[in-house]
Amino acid sequence: MLIAGPDTRVVELRVHGVQGTTPQTLVDAVAAVDVAGDGLGRIVRPADRLRRPAPGPVLQTNGRPIPRVVEGYLWGGMTSGGVAKATWALLFPFSIANVAHWMLPPVAERNLPAHLLGIGLRSLLRVFALLLTALLVAQISVVSLDLLAAQCLRPGTACLTSISDEVRTVPWFRAFLGLLPVVLLVVVMRRVSHVDWRIERREIAEAEEEERQPSSGLPGAHVATDPDTPALRSLHVVAALAVASLIALGGPLRQLTATGGMGVAITVAWTAALVLIALSLLGVLLLDDPTGGAPHRGGRWLRAALGRTPRRVLVVLSVLSVLTTWGLLEQLPSRVPGADVTVQVVALLMAFVLVLFGLLLVPAALLARGTWKSLPRELRPWAGGWFAAPVLAIAGLLGGGFGAGVALPVRKALGSGLELPEGYDYITLLWGVAGALGLLSTFAVASFTGAVRWRAFRKGKLWAREASLLHSGRMRDLRAATRAWWWARWERNHGHHLLLIIASVLVLGAVPASVLRFRDVTLASWTDPFSALGVGVLAVLALSLLRAVYLAARQPESGRRLGIFADIAQFWPREAHPIVPPCYALKVVPELVSRVQDHLRDPGTRVVLCGHSQGSLLVAVAAARLLEDLPAHDRERIGLVTAGSQLQWAYPRAFPAVVPHASLARLAGGLDGRWRALCRGTDPLGGAVTTWRRQVFDGMLLGVGYRPDGSVGALAPALRGPTGALVLGGDHWLPDPQRGPFPGRRWRSGVSAHSDYTSDPEWDRAVAMAAGLLEVDAPESPSLSFARRLETRSRDASGGS
């Protein structure tokens, strides 16, 4: 532990969580001003009345005041704040498929079967992502080519009567209107995939070279740019344009018929579209082979084949394919049969890839089980490491449901007499069955939850003994805390089960609909209620997303609320699907590292990285990078404070290869006790980080957790802080509602749950410990004086009120 000198100061660098925040809230001031950043990544400080950066409140440590500078890093503008970013919500199925890649189980070193399974799973994920893009293009083609251009604009129809028959019979007019929305969609997707963040400091661009170094085993070591993203992007664009051409020319099973030279031209264009699709599928299947990344390995030919020039050639050929298709369709037929066939073929291929992916994931998870079998059950990966399969199923079914949900309202808006492809009857049946099962599941879960809660409270709240310690002698606070503790624990323990239920419901709805469609069974009359329910579910799914994007143009706050989806999914780089918003972690983490290094140039400065919720993952990865880069004497001057964090109950269990339990233990050991975690039992989104298997024995809170030396084992009993918090290892359990109010400190009444951790006076104490200015195992501090009298009544904490 470094000894504080007369020039010692602490820089507290805060990072917010999902949905963003205001600069004033982040730095806990009535005014804030930017001191660095580029507008997207903003570094702010409290400001005085002249809008000049002001120092933060002093930090009291062992009776000595230490100067403190409070800074905040705002990254919310990267995921929300306008129409352009709000439209990213429409690509949410793509983002889910990309997140599934990062949920794969870890690959054991020097294990050939695990290595081969890892290659196969990543390749199947990329194939599934390409099929998801093709499915979206096919479903948009159903709306634009079939409903609008072929049926609605056919001469003599009563649809869109404002367009005269003279215009409708203009050569290539209907084909142009049918292909234009599809081409615009592909252009938008390509533009989204090209968006990337520029890092503020030039020297950080050298991080690409550092990514080639062996993994350090610290959290987020694998979160790096993917050099194959440009190739993937081009392959998706080529496949999307080729699918549009294939649909217009008759579909994948048979082409349009014509005589003479026209028939030959159609055959050549149809074959060329199939070849482009096949090349795209082959490219994404082979591109993930890690052996191709080294120039001396056999896979280098693939990297050369997908270089910049070959990619441009493929894109140009796909554009020419669409133009040729338009030139061949002087007049569209009354229906476009290729749209329905293509949707069905793509859906069938997606189902096949998903089943194969799930089967391969079973042995991969079993081989990876050795990395977590020694952990307690509450720390092991969700679904035994198999969680990527249901997440991928949700991505596929949501992608298909969104396209169908758009087609149904469009048909209704255009007028009666228009027909959707026959396969859409089975899609509505799918979502109708899923909707009915969802309602039944909701009722069952609600009933079971109510019964379990009633039984838990009837038995006397024995499960909330930690709350009894935190609120001893304060029965009113204990009653409020007990209810919140129960719901928070229930949500943390069973949140992933809800995702499994959603995936199961969607799959169970898909099975009967797929079987009936595959056997070409005519739907019976008793399926009509399910189909009607499916129409409603699909309409709600599509219109809710479209309405949210529309409102973002009128109400910017709506765009910020949409950011909650993007904030979670956009943390992960483009690995499986390239047409997703850029990964903000690739900008935030290097800029945090750079800012800390700037402060550490002053030998008297100590920097504490503070992250709330999703921000805790960002600061943990940044701290890991600093431990890798800094010399030993500088590593002793950094600390870490996490609040409301998911670094134990969510991230290591959902992403066992990226944020494994062992990496967190290594991070805790590298920080040597300077990792402090503020947690509340009432917080449904955050929980304990450095301790587990907690129990109350003889009035003491005991548990197992990370020790300062990096080992894992039993910890000393928790110590009570001056504000009533219980400090067990690195976890600071805060009483919620807060004790106090305390004179001279900001007060927040009621249950705070996941919000406003900085209002608790324990925050300053945790920052002082993380800065190395206060001993972790110091004797219990005297309690602070209250501004109001304590309740003197005391009852059995496990009894009623």
Short mmCIF file of all heavy atoms in Angstrom, two decimals, residues 232-258:
data_model
loop_
_atom_site.label_atom_id
_atom_site.label_comp_id
_atom_site.label_asym_id
_atom_site.label_seq_id
_atom_site.Cartn_x
_atom_site.Cartn_y
_atom_site.Cartn_z
N LEU A 232 -16.93 -10.03 -44.46
CA LEU A 232 -18.29 -10.45 -44.12
C LEU A 232 -19.32 -9.46 -44.64
O LEU A 232 -20.37 -9.84 -45.16
CB LEU A 232 -18.42 -10.59 -42.60
CG LEU A 232 -17.98 -11.90 -41.95
CD1 LEU A 232 -18.16 -11.81 -40.45
CD2 LEU A 232 -18.76 -13.06 -42.51
N ARG A 233 -19.02 -8.17 -44.49
CA ARG A 233 -19.95 -7.14 -44.95
C ARG A 233 -20.20 -7.29 -46.45
O ARG A 233 -21.35 -7.26 -46.91
CB ARG A 233 -19.37 -5.77 -44.64
CG ARG A 233 -20.22 -4.62 -45.13
CD ARG A 233 -19.44 -3.32 -45.05
NE ARG A 233 -18.90 -3.09 -43.73
CZ ARG A 233 -17.61 -2.87 -43.48
NH1 ARG A 233 -16.73 -2.85 -44.47
NH2 ARG A 233 -17.19 -2.67 -42.26
N SER A 234 -19.15 -7.47 -47.22
CA SER A 234 -19.31 -7.60 -48.66
C SER A 234 -20.09 -8.86 -49.02
O SER A 234 -20.93 -8.83 -49.93
CB SER A 234 -17.93 -7.63 -49.33
OG SER A 234 -17.23 -6.42 -49.09
N LEU A 235 -19.83 -9.95 -48.32
CA LEU A 235 -20.56 -11.19 -48.61
C LEU A 235 -22.04 -11.05 -48.31
O LEU A 235 -22.89 -11.58 -49.05
CB LEU A 235 -19.94 -12.34 -47.81
CG LEU A 235 -18.53 -12.77 -48.22
CD1 LEU A 235 -17.98 -13.81 -47.26
CD2 LEU A 235 -18.51 -13.29 -49.64
N HIS A 236 -22.39 -10.33 -47.24
CA HIS A 236 -23.80 -10.12 -46.94
C HIS A 236 -24.47 -9.23 -47.99
O HIS A 236 -25.61 -9.48 -48.39
CB HIS A 236 -23.94 -9.49 -45.55
CG HIS A 236 -23.91 -10.47 -44.43
ND1 HIS A 236 -25.00 -10.78 -43.67
CD2 HIS A 236 -22.90 -11.25 -43.95
CE1 HIS A 236 -24.68 -11.68 -42.76
NE2 HIS A 236 -23.41 -11.98 -42.91
N VAL A 237 -23.77 -8.21 -48.45
CA VAL A 237 -24.33 -7.34 -49.48
C VAL A 237 -24.52 -8.12 -50.78
O VAL A 237 -25.57 -8.01 -51.44
CB VAL A 237 -23.41 -6.12 -49.70
CG1 VAL A 237 -23.83 -5.34 -50.93
CG2 VAL A 237 -23.43 -5.22 -48.48
N VAL A 238 -23.54 -8.91 -51.14
CA VAL A 238 -23.64 -9.71 -52.37
C VAL A 238 -24.81 -10.69 -52.27
O VAL A 238 -25.61 -10.82 -53.21
CB VAL A 238 -22.31 -10.45 -52.62
CG1 VAL A 238 -22.48 -11.48 -53.74
CG2 VAL A 238 -21.21 -9.47 -52.97
N ALA A 239 -24.92 -11.38 -51.14
CA ALA A 239 -26.01 -12.34 -50.98
C ALA A 239 -27.37 -11.65 -51.02
O ALA A 239 -28.33 -12.16 -51.61
CB ALA A 239 -25.83 -13.11 -49.68
N ALA A 240 -27.48 -10.48 -50.38
CA ALA A 240 -28.76 -9.78 -50.34
C ALA A 240 -29.20 -9.37 -51.75
O ALA A 240 -30.36 -9.56 -52.14
CB ALA A 240 -28.66 -8.56 -49.43
N LEU A 241 -28.29 -8.79 -52.53
CA LEU A 241 -28.65 -8.38 -53.88
C LEU A 241 -28.94 -9.58 -54.78
O LEU A 241 -29.86 -9.55 -55.61
CB LEU A 241 -27.52 -7.54 -54.48
CG LEU A 241 -27.28 -6.17 -53.83
CD1 LEU A 241 -26.05 -5.50 -54.42
CD2 LEU A 241 -28.50 -5.28 -53.98
N ALA A 242 -28.18 -10.66 -54.59
CA ALA A 242 -28.42 -11.86 -55.40
C ALA A 242 -29.76 -12.49 -55.07
O ALA A 242 -30.46 -13.00 -55.95
CB ALA A 242 -27.29 -12.86 -55.19
N VAL A 243 -30.16 -12.46 -53.79
CA VAL A 243 -31.46 -13.00 -53.40
C VAL A 243 -32.58 -12.18 -54.04
O VAL A 243 -33.58 -12.73 -54.51
CB VAL A 243 -31.59 -13.02 -51.87
CG1 VAL A 243 -33.04 -13.24 -51.44
CG2 VAL A 243 -30.72 -14.11 -51.27
N ALA A 244 -32.42 -10.86 -54.08
CA ALA A 244 -33.44 -10.03 -54.73
C ALA A 244 -33.57 -10.38 -56.21
O ALA A 244 -34.69 -10.48 -56.74
CB ALA A 244 -33.07 -8.55 -54.56
N SER A 245 -32.44 -10.58 -56.87
CA SER A 245 -32.50 -10.97 -58.29
C SER A 245 -33.14 -12.34 -58.45
O SER A 245 -33.96 -12.55 -59.36
CB SER A 245 -31.09 -10.98 -58.88
OG SER A 245 -30.51 -9.69 -58.82
N LEU A 246 -32.78 -13.27 -57.59
CA LEU A 246 -33.30 -14.62 -57.69
C LEU A 246 -34.81 -14.64 -57.50
O LEU A 246 -35.53 -15.36 -58.21
CB LEU A 246 -32.62 -15.51 -56.64
CG LEU A 246 -32.80 -17.02 -56.79
CD1 LEU A 246 -32.10 -17.51 -58.05
CD2 LEU A 246 -32.27 -17.73 -55.56
N ILE A 247 -35.32 -13.85 -56.56
CA ILE A 247 -36.77 -13.81 -56.32
C ILE A 247 -37.49 -13.27 -57.56
O ILE A 247 -38.50 -13.82 -58.00
CB ILE A 247 -37.07 -12.94 -55.09
CG1 ILE A 247 -36.58 -13.64 -53.82
CG2 ILE A 247 -38.57 -12.64 -54.99
CD1 ILE A 247 -36.68 -12.80 -52.58
N ALA A 248 -36.96 -12.19 -58.13
CA ALA A 248 -37.62 -11.60 -59.30
C ALA A 248 -37.59 -12.52 -60.51
O ALA A 248 -38.49 -12.46 -61.37
CB ALA A 248 -36.94 -10.27 -59.65
N LEU A 249 -36.60 -13.42 -60.56
CA LEU A 249 -36.47 -14.32 -61.71
C LEU A 249 -37.14 -15.67 -61.50
O LEU A 249 -36.97 -16.56 -62.33
CB LEU A 249 -34.99 -14.53 -62.03
CG LEU A 249 -34.23 -13.29 -62.51
CD1 LEU A 249 -32.75 -13.57 -62.66
CD2 LEU A 249 -34.81 -12.78 -63.83
N GLY A 250 -37.88 -15.83 -60.40
CA GLY A 250 -38.64 -17.06 -60.23
C GLY A 250 -38.38 -17.81 -58.97
O GLY A 250 -39.16 -18.71 -58.62
N GLY A 251 -37.27 -17.53 -58.25
CA GLY A 251 -36.99 -18.22 -57.01
C GLY A 251 -35.89 -19.25 -57.17
O GLY A 251 -35.40 -19.52 -58.27
N PRO A 252 -35.48 -19.87 -56.08
CA PRO A 252 -34.33 -20.78 -56.12
C PRO A 252 -34.63 -22.14 -56.74
O PRO A 252 -33.70 -22.86 -57.12
CB PRO A 252 -33.96 -20.94 -54.64
CG PRO A 252 -35.24 -20.70 -53.91
CD PRO A 252 -35.99 -19.69 -54.71
N LEU A 253 -35.90 -22.53 -56.83
CA LEU A 253 -36.22 -23.86 -57.32
C LEU A 253 -36.45 -23.90 -58.82
O LEU A 253 -36.14 -24.90 -59.48
CB LEU A 253 -37.44 -24.41 -56.59
CG LEU A 253 -37.31 -24.52 -55.06
CD1 LEU A 253 -38.54 -25.15 -54.46
CD2 LEU A 253 -36.06 -25.32 -54.68
N ARG A 254 -37.01 -22.84 -59.39
CA ARG A 254 -37.20 -22.80 -60.83
C ARG A 254 -37.26 -21.35 -61.28
O ARG A 254 -37.65 -20.47 -60.53
CB ARG A 254 -38.45 -23.55 -61.25
CG ARG A 254 -39.74 -22.97 -60.70
CD ARG A 254 -40.93 -23.77 -61.18
NE ARG A 254 -42.18 -23.21 -60.69
CZ ARG A 254 -43.37 -23.72 -60.99
NH1 ARG A 254 -43.45 -24.79 -61.76
NH2 ARG A 254 -44.48 -23.16 -60.51
N GLN A 255 -36.88 -21.16 -62.55
CA GLN A 255 -36.80 -19.81 -63.08
C GLN A 255 -38.06 -19.47 -63.88
O GLN A 255 -38.88 -20.34 -64.18
CB GLN A 255 -35.59 -19.69 -63.99
CG GLN A 255 -35.69 -20.58 -65.23
CD GLN A 255 -34.40 -20.61 -66.01
OE1 GLN A 255 -33.35 -20.93 -65.47
NE2 GLN A 255 -34.48 -20.25 -67.29
N LEU A 256 -38.18 -18.18 -64.22
CA LEU A 256 -39.26 -17.77 -65.12
C LEU A 256 -39.03 -18.37 -66.52
O LEU A 256 -37.87 -18.55 -66.94
CB LEU A 256 -39.32 -16.24 -65.22
CG LEU A 256 -39.69 -15.49 -63.92
CD1 LEU A 256 -39.62 -13.98 -64.18
CD2 LEU A 256 -41.06 -15.87 -63.44
N THR A 257 -40.08 -18.67 -67.19
CA THR A 257 -39.97 -19.27 -68.52
C THR A 257 -40.17 -18.20 -69.59
O THR A 257 -40.99 -17.28 -69.45
CB THR A 257 -41.01 -20.38 -68.71
OG1 THR A 257 -42.32 -19.83 -68.50
CG2 THR A 257 -40.76 -21.51 -67.73
N ALA A 258 -39.41 -18.33 -70.66
CA ALA A 258 -39.51 -17.44 -71.82
C ALA A 258 -38.93 -18.15 -73.02
O ALA A 258 -38.21 -19.15 -72.89
CB ALA A 258 -38.80 -16.11 -71.56
#
